[in-house]
Amino acid sequence: MGTPTAADALVEQLRSYGVDRIFGTCGHTNIALLDAIGRSDIEFVIARHEQTAAHAADGYARVTGKPGVLLMHVGPGMMNAVTGVATAALDSVPLVAISGDIPSYMYGRHPHQEVNLHNDDDQTAIYRPFVKRAWQVHRVEDLTRFTERAFWTATSGRPGAVLLNVPMDIFSRPMPDAVPVYPLPAAATRPGISAADAEAIAAALASAERPLIYVGGGAGRADLRELAEHLGIPVAHSLMAKGLLPDDHPLVLGMTGFWGLEVTNEYARSADLVLAIGTRFAETDASSWNPAYTWRFPPSRLIQIDIDPAEIGRNYPVEIGVVADAGPAIAAISEAVRRRPAARKDQSWIKAARDELFAGSAERGRSDQFPLRPERILADVRAALPADTVLVTDVGWNKNGVAQCYPLPPEGRFITPGGASTMGFGPAAALGVQLAQPDRVVVALVGDGGMSAQLPALPMAVEQGLPVIFLVMNNRSHGTISDLQASNFGRSYGCDFTDPDGNPYSPDFAALGRACGADGYEISEAAGLTTALRTAVERRRPAVIDVPMVNEPVPTPGHWNIKDIYQGVFE
């Protein structure tokens, strides 16, 4: 082998960090690293498009808790991955993106695929607005040090995406013996909460008349149960936090905001104290911050806990702000709460309201109308799939409808793109989820727009032997936007798919799946979906189920400011 190269040293470093899979595509700027990966026990998961690879790495990270690792080529390669990396960044998912670049000694001369046409910036400038940090490697001696910084930055504090940009000649240069190995910290303490703050929060919660615990995606898998149950406090959640407490828990109110529930928004408006954990109070979760619909701060008082100090008070005034990791913070507050008498509040109204919601959805889900109503599709999915199924959704009914009215089993998992609301996330992210959890049933619940945006996911599933079920809710339209345009402008134009004669059109996704080597199921009657789902689960092969669906709007009990803009109403 001769003298180890920087690529060899990088691969050994990645192995020492526990990296077992790298997602990506090849290019002339990264094949030296690919060669080194091929001589190791790290698996390279090849994709046919960089956005597919990025979403797959994202999905893998969400279920393993380890950083996803993405390998990209210069210029168009790393630009193809922008949407996927930004999606991970905005959802606080740890992802380390490694991009090959032009030779270090050719900057500014416009060699093949260099992208700095008018300025002297390198290609890292493309990623800097959304990654936590971008490193440009100028010397071979810096590669391993920057790599350690990249992994530490991606996983510490508020997790997120980072970029490590490496000129192709660096990979092939000999690694000097004097360059030290940079291990990750052997242990790292998560920032907690002071005893005084825990006591103050516990006292405030115990004395409140209408307290509410509101959790976002930043709450992670923290255990809220004891805290909520001891004081009988209702729990609301953002889109990203569905499933943190089981949907059938008697204190779970459901989702807030534009696509939330009226009962949840009403309680949020009237709460006298809100404990918010790991949430940005994003626009759709907060009804565009309009106090008439979801949150009223003041008169409501706000206690906010977040790992990112920039989020404290970003959108609402805060009475107590705590910069801490959700897990230890909730544990400390729960301990302080237990020293107080348990509340005897009658909160049976929550279960009654939730039962009414789910019963109404179930009733609509019994319709034999064909094409199927979206709630019938969700009802069949719930009935036919194992309780521990992982639902990976895209955007539209498959995301908002599930978050609203799909009773997620306690063993189940709901994964969705929150911050960027990225079309095409579902099909590709499901691949990474399935690689991480090969024994579970993984369903990419997507619309026809989302499936069309990530067709490369189909051959990738076949090549990797991943039994992902791609369930396409097919209304031959970008349905949510079509409904929005029709309700505000009186017609839908540029949102629906048609053939040259104006007839509704859609590819035959089931046939496309079969052409790629997957199983394909066309649903032609109401009873067919349940049969196809059960068959796909039993066969454990990649499968595409094409389900004709009525274009029916998702209920929107909250508010979104764009409606004012469309209607010319400005406050």
Side-chain angles (χ1 to χ4, degrees):
M1 285 295 298
T3 304
T5 65
D8 295 321
L10 177 57
V11 168
E12 282 305 305
Q13 187 175 15
L14 296 176
R15 289 183 66 254
S16 73
Y17 291 176
V19 174
D20 53 6
R21 286 187 173 90
I22 297 174
F23 299 80
T25 57
C26 63
H28 69 267
T29 60
N30 66 28
I31 56 174
L33 181 58
L34 278 175
D35 180 68
I37 294 170
R39 290 183 271 106
S40 75
D41 56 2
I42 297 176
E43 178 186 356
F44 181 66
V45 183
I46 185 173
R48 292 170 181 265
H49 192 276
E50 290 82 1
Q51 184 178 346
T52 311
H55 288 320
D58 179 343
Y60 186 80
R62 293 188 196 222
V63 294
T64 63
K66 303 192 304 181
V69 182
L70 171 68
L71 179 61
M72 307 171 294
H73 173 53
V74 69
M78 62 101 68
M79 288 191 286
N80 278 344
V82 162
T83 301
V85 178
T87 298
L90 290 170
D91 284 350
S92 302
V93 176
L95 190 147
V96 177
I98 303 172
S99 56
D101 201 353
I102 62 166
S104 60
Y105 47 85
M106 288 185 174
Y107 278 113
R109 300 183 67 181
H110 295 173
H112 185 57
Q113 295 185 313
E114 187 180 25
V115 297
N116 66 336
L117 185 60
H118 300 296
N119 295 288
D120 291 331
D121 276 330
D122 54 65
Q123 65 182 13
T124 62
I126 298 168
Y127 276 56
R128 290 189 191 278
F130 54 85
V131 295
K132 290 183 72 177
R133 178 77 188 270
W135 286 266
Q136 169 71 10
V137 179
H138 294 287
R139 306 184 311 148
V140 67
E141 292 85 356
D142 291 329
L143 178 59
T144 54
R145 180 168 64 90
F146 287 177
T147 300
E148 185 274 334
R149 290 291 81 195
F151 274 80
W152 172 252
T153 302
T155 55
S156 61
R158 177 178 176 173
V162 299
L163 176 68
L164 182 66
N165 193 67
V166 187
M168 61 182 293
D169 58 300
I170 298 290
F171 284 135
S172 298
R173 292 180 186 272
M175 177 61 74
D177 294 335
V179 175
V181 174
Y182 289 90
L184 289 171
T189 301
R190 295 186 295 170
I193 185 173
S194 71
D197 280 342
E199 283 292 334
I201 293 171
L205 290 171
S207 63
E209 291 295 322
R210 286 175 64 85
L212 174 65
I213 297 173
Y214 179 60
V215 291
R221 309 304 289 177
D223 189 0
L224 291 168
R225 190 182 298 264
E226 187 175 42
L227 173 59
E229 290 177 350
H230 189 79
L231 294 179
I233 302 176
V235 178
H237 61 78
S238 71
L239 169 73
M240 295 290 294
K242 181 181 174 70
L244 185 59
L245 278 181
D247 271 339
D248 60 1
H249 191 283
L251 292 173
V252 171
L253 271 170
M255 190 169 70
T256 63
F258 181 61
W259 285 299
L261 309 175
E262 181 50 48
V263 65
T264 313
N265 284 330
E266 188 281 328
Y267 190 92
R269 289 193 300 272
S270 60
D272 60 345
L273 180 71
V274 177
L275 171 60
I277 306 166
T279 174
R280 298 184 296 122
F281 285 102
E283 183 185 12
T284 54
D285 293 324
S287 293
S288 292
W289 309 289
N290 187 320
Y293 293 91
T294 301
W295 302 107
R296 291 176 177 169
F297 299 112
S300 299
R301 299 154 55 205
L302 175 60
I303 299 171
Q304 189 173 4
I305 299 172
D306 204 284
I307 192 70
D308 185 351
E311 294 301 338
I312 304 293
R314 179 193 292 274
N315 284 310
Y316 294 112
V318 172
E319 183 173 299
I320 301 176
V322 179
V323 179
D325 185 278
I330 292 170
I333 297 168
S334 296
E335 183 179 349
V337 160
R338 286 198 305 271
R339 293 192 284 270
R340 291 165 168 78
R344 303 299 179 198
K345 297 176 182 176
D346 179 10
Q347 303 287 26
S348 59
W349 63 272
I350 297 176
K351 184 178 186 304
R354 296 282 281 172
D355 287 349
E356 181 180 356
L357 165 75
F358 290 134
S361 178
E363 180 61 34
R364 292 185 293 275
R366 279 188 275 273
S367 170
D368 285 333
Q369 175 183 343
F370 193 85
L372 293 179
R373 297 186 69 182
E375 284 171 311
R376 170 61 188 266
I377 295 175
L378 299 187
D380 286 0
V381 168
R382 180 68 172 80
L385 296 179
D388 67 345
T389 294
V390 183
L391 288 183
V392 187
T393 70
D394 211 83
V395 293
W397 242 106
N398 51 85
K399 178 185 75 168
N400 306 316
V402 168
Q404 264 187 12
C405 61
Y406 184 94
L408 187 71
E411 308 93 331
R413 183 79 185 270
F414 170 65
I415 295 175
T416 195
S421 198
T422 305
M423 181 179 295
F425 171 86
L431 303 174
V433 172
Q434 189 74 83
L435 276 167
Q437 298 188 328
D439 296 330
R440 292 178 75 169
V441 173
V442 177
V443 175
L445 188 64
V446 301
D448 50 310
M451 190 71 251
S452 298
Q454 271 303 313
L455 294 178
L458 297 179
M460 186 172 171
V462 174
E463 290 161 349
Q464 298 295 326
L466 301 175
V468 171
I469 300 172
F470 301 91
L471 198 164
V472 184
M473 300 171 71
N474 191 348
N475 56 13
R476 302 180 180 186
S477 173
H478 291 309
T480 299
I481 306 304
S482 179
D483 292 330
L484 189 64
Q485 187 188 50
S487 65
N488 286 281
F489 295 93
R491 65 168 183 163
S492 175
Y493 177 79
C495 304
D496 306 311
F497 304 122
T498 61
D499 65 18
D501 296 324
N503 301 309
Y505 166 79
S506 182
D508 185 338
F509 290 107
L512 184 59
R514 290 191 293 269
C516 292
D519 294 340
Y521 304 85
E522 301 99 345
I523 306 305
S524 57
E525 60 178 359
L529 176 55
T530 298
T531 301
L533 283 166
R534 289 175 175 160
T535 302
V537 169
E538 182 180 351
R539 294 200 66 185
R540 297 297 289 164
R541 281 178 39 78
V544 181
I545 303 177
D546 192 342
V547 189
M549 184 186 85
V550 176
N551 193 12
E552 191 170 285
V554 182
T556 54
H559 172 70
W560 194 358
N561 186 56
I562 60 173
K563 290 189 173 184
D564 289 346
I565 296 171
Y566 295 148
Q567 295 166 7
V569 178
F570 299 99
E571 296 181 357

